[in-house]
């Protein structure tokens, strides 16, 4: 069962763990007239993960009708490829050729390839199919014994595939479906993605931190030369795993709107983005902020606010067809695709360090908040680094290149 909640309620939860414990099925109306539903139910066991996709169920997002229709069909609501490429100054027409971005999710989306075809056709993107070698779907072991279907995770899968397509139309896509939403199975899927050659792996899920995280880090996420992105969470101020892993790029969330600036766009901190100090993970050497002795979340960010959400096409879920989504499930695959546009990471490198060496090549996010932390940078948009938006949003690919 999916949870329907208000954005205000999401933003005011003290920690992501509390968000995961919220009751299922409680309805409310959000600020700005937009209501959202969590695609995935809250975990009921330790080391279980939930996807970070938020579907707009009522109201009109600010991004509605942002794209002109490129086919005879009516334009879907929500930002599409042209808007996202413009907002983040992406060389999508020429970049990404030959690169493979892996998407790791739980359960099966039987309609993944056909739904992806509709999305790409709508926006005039080249076909990405099994037949032409662009798309590949495997189970967590790399085979074709797919897990059972799940409508909520299917929404997540559609969101992820569409966001990679939007940011990097020339990239190949590898979808790895874990047997369940346990960290063990999802971690196995990450290892399979890397074993099959993906140099960019997006993970749009999270759960409570635990004493097992150090073991998970070494077993599943320590892959030098591979850019691994993870959603920071949708529960406001508070930390989730695996975003807290020192080996990944933790991706926070922003509200993205058009503006009269030279850039033409502006980002503010999204109130639901996860951030804060990890309880278990050590601080990587390249992270220099002083407010956390351990790992600080996040590193970078991209659009995640459902009020400025993205267009997604999915037919396996309850609300089949064109929908609008937000959540840091949107920002993680976008950033994975930006890494792919930046080129293959060098052997032995940790791509999560790249943005810290190129801070001027990011759009600094200096306003907005995701909760209460005494007004510090850990929950407040600030000049330079802050928790909810990290170092900022992409301005081209330079910050994502080793």
């Amino acid at each position: 069962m999916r949870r329907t909640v208000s954005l205000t309620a999401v933003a005011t939860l003290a920690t992501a763990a509390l968000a995961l414990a919220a009751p299922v099925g409680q309805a409310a109306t959000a600020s700005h007239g937009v209501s959202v539903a969590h695609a995935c139910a809250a975990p009921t066991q330790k080391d279980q993960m939930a996807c970070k996709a938020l579907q707009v169920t009522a109201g009109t997002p600010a991004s509605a009708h942002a794209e002109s229709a490129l086919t005879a069909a009516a334009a879907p609501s929500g930002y599409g490829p042209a808007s996202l490429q413009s907002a983040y100054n992406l060389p999508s027409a020429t970049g990404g050729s030959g690169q493979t971005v892996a998407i790791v999710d739980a359960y099966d989306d039987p309609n993944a390839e056909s739904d992806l075809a509709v999305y790409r056709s709508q926006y005039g993107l080249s076909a990405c199919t099994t037949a032409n070698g662009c798309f590949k779907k495997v189970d967590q072991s790399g085979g074709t014994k797919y897990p059972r279907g799940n409508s909520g995770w299917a929404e997540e899968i559609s969101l992820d595939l569409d966001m990679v397509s939007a940011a990097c139309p020339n990239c190949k896509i590898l979808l790895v479906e874990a047997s369940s939403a346990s960290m063990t199975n999802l971690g196995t899927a990450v290892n399979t993605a890397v074993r099959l050659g993906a140099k960019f792996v997006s993970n749009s899920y999270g759960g409570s931190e635990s004493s097992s995280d150090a073991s998970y880090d070494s077993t599943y996420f320590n892959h030098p030369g591979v850019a691994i992105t993870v959603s920071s969470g949708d529960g406001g101020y508070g930390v989730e795993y695996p975003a807290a892993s020192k080996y990944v790029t933790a991706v926070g969330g922003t509200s993205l709107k058009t503006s009269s600036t030279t850039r033409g766009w502006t980002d503010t901190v999204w109130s639901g983005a996860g951030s804060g100090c990890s309880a278990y993970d050590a601080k990587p050497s390249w992270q220099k902020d002083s407010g956390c002795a351990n790992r600080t979340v996040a590193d970078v960010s991209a659009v995640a606010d459902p009020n400025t959400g993205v267009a997604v096409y999915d037919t396996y879920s309850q609300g089949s067809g064109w929908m609008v989504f937000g959540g840091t499930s949107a920002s993680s695959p976008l950033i994975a695709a930006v890494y792919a546009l930046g080129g293959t990471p060098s052997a032995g490198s940790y791509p999560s360090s790249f943005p810290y060496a190129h801070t001027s090549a990011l759009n600094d996010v200096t306003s907005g908040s995701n909760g209460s932390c005494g007004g510090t940078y850990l929950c407040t948009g600030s000049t330079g680094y802050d928790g909810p938006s990290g170092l900022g949003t992409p301005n081209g690919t330079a910050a994502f290149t080793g």
Side-chain angles (χ1 to χ4, degrees):
M1 183 186 299
R2 296 188 300 169
R3 298 176 292 157
T4 302
V5 298
S6 70
L7 296 185
T8 302
V10 169
T12 55
L13 291 172
T15 65
L18 287 177
L20 292 170
V24 175
Q26 183 176 355
T29 301
S31 59
H32 309 294
V34 173
S35 295
V36 298
H38 291 259
C40 298
T44 58
Q45 303 176 44
K46 179 185 175 183
D47 299 325
Q48 291 286 316
M49 303 289 119
C51 71
K52 302 288 108 178
L54 295 175
Q55 182 197 353
V56 174
T57 57
T60 303
S63 56
H65 308 297
E67 301 280 332
S68 298
L70 298 180
T71 70
S77 294
Y79 292 137
S83 293
L84 296 170
Q85 292 166 21
S86 170
Y88 299 128
N89 190 27
L90 302 180
S92 302
T94 57
S97 180
Q99 303 289 10
T100 296
V101 178
I103 296 298
V104 171
D105 281 312
Y107 303 110
D108 182 36
D109 177 2
N111 300 353
E113 184 173 358
S114 59
D115 286 348
L116 177 63
V118 174
Y119 180 88
R120 293 178 70 101
S121 175
Q122 171 68 30
Y123 293 109
L125 307 180
S126 60
C128 186
T129 66
T130 301
N132 68 13
C134 174
F135 178 78
K136 184 176 183 179
K137 182 173 85 169
V138 298
D139 62 30
Q140 71 179 42
S141 300
T144 56
K145 295 181 178 179
Y146 307 123
R148 65 177 176 86
N150 179 285
S151 61
W153 280 90
E155 290 183 345
E156 175 63 62
I157 289 170
S158 293
L159 169 59
D160 293 344
L161 299 180
D162 292 353
M163 290 306 95
V164 172
S165 297
C168 186
N170 296 323
C171 284
K172 297 180 180 181
I173 304 176
L174 170 65
L175 172 60
V176 187
E177 297 181 331
S179 298
S180 75
S182 72
M183 189 62 255
T184 300
N185 283 330
L186 287 161
T188 298
V190 171
N191 287 344
T192 293
V194 175
R195 176 171 57 82
L196 293 178
K199 297 299 183 182
F200 316 93
V201 184
S202 176
N203 304 268
S204 292
Y205 55 82
S208 299
E209 290 191 280
S210 79
S211 57
S212 302
D213 291 352
S215 174
Y216 293 147
D217 276 358
S218 59
T219 305
Y220 303 126
F221 295 107
N222 186 8
H223 292 288
V226 179
I228 300 176
T229 64
V230 180
S231 302
S232 73
D234 298 344
Y237 180 61
V239 175
E240 293 186 3
Y241 189 84
S245 172
K246 62 184 178 181
Y247 297 119
V248 310
T249 300
V251 185
T254 69
S255 301
L256 175 68
K257 296 181 180 179
T258 57
S259 75
S260 58
T261 61
T262 301
R263 177 190 170 199
W265 299 86
T266 184
D267 290 285
T268 57
V269 165
W270 173 47
S271 60
S275 71
C277 305
S278 171
Y280 299 99
D281 258 87
K283 201 174 200 69
S285 61
W286 48 86
Q287 198 173 55
K288 303 298 186 181
D289 65 297
S290 60
C292 294
N294 285 342
R295 165 81 156 113
T296 312
V297 173
D299 297 306
V300 293
S301 54
V303 62
D305 185 353
N307 280 304
T308 63
V310 298
V312 173
Y313 190 81
D314 177 81
T315 60
Y316 191 66
S317 67
Q318 298 173 1
S320 52
W322 286 105
M323 294 176 278
V324 177
F325 276 86
T328 50
S329 273
S331 55
S332 177
L334 275 171
I335 294 298
V338 176
Y339 270 111
L341 288 168
T344 304
S346 59
S349 68
Y350 283 96
S352 51
S353 71
F354 296 172
Y356 290 85
H358 304 282
T359 56
S360 62
L362 293 157
N363 302 305
D364 195 8
V365 182
T366 60
S367 63
S369 175
N370 69 342
S372 177
C373 65
T376 74
Y377 74 95
L378 294 175
C379 67
T380 307
S382 307
T383 300
Y385 179 83
D386 62 72
S389 71
L391 297 164
T393 63
N395 181 11
T397 63
F400 302 88
T401 303

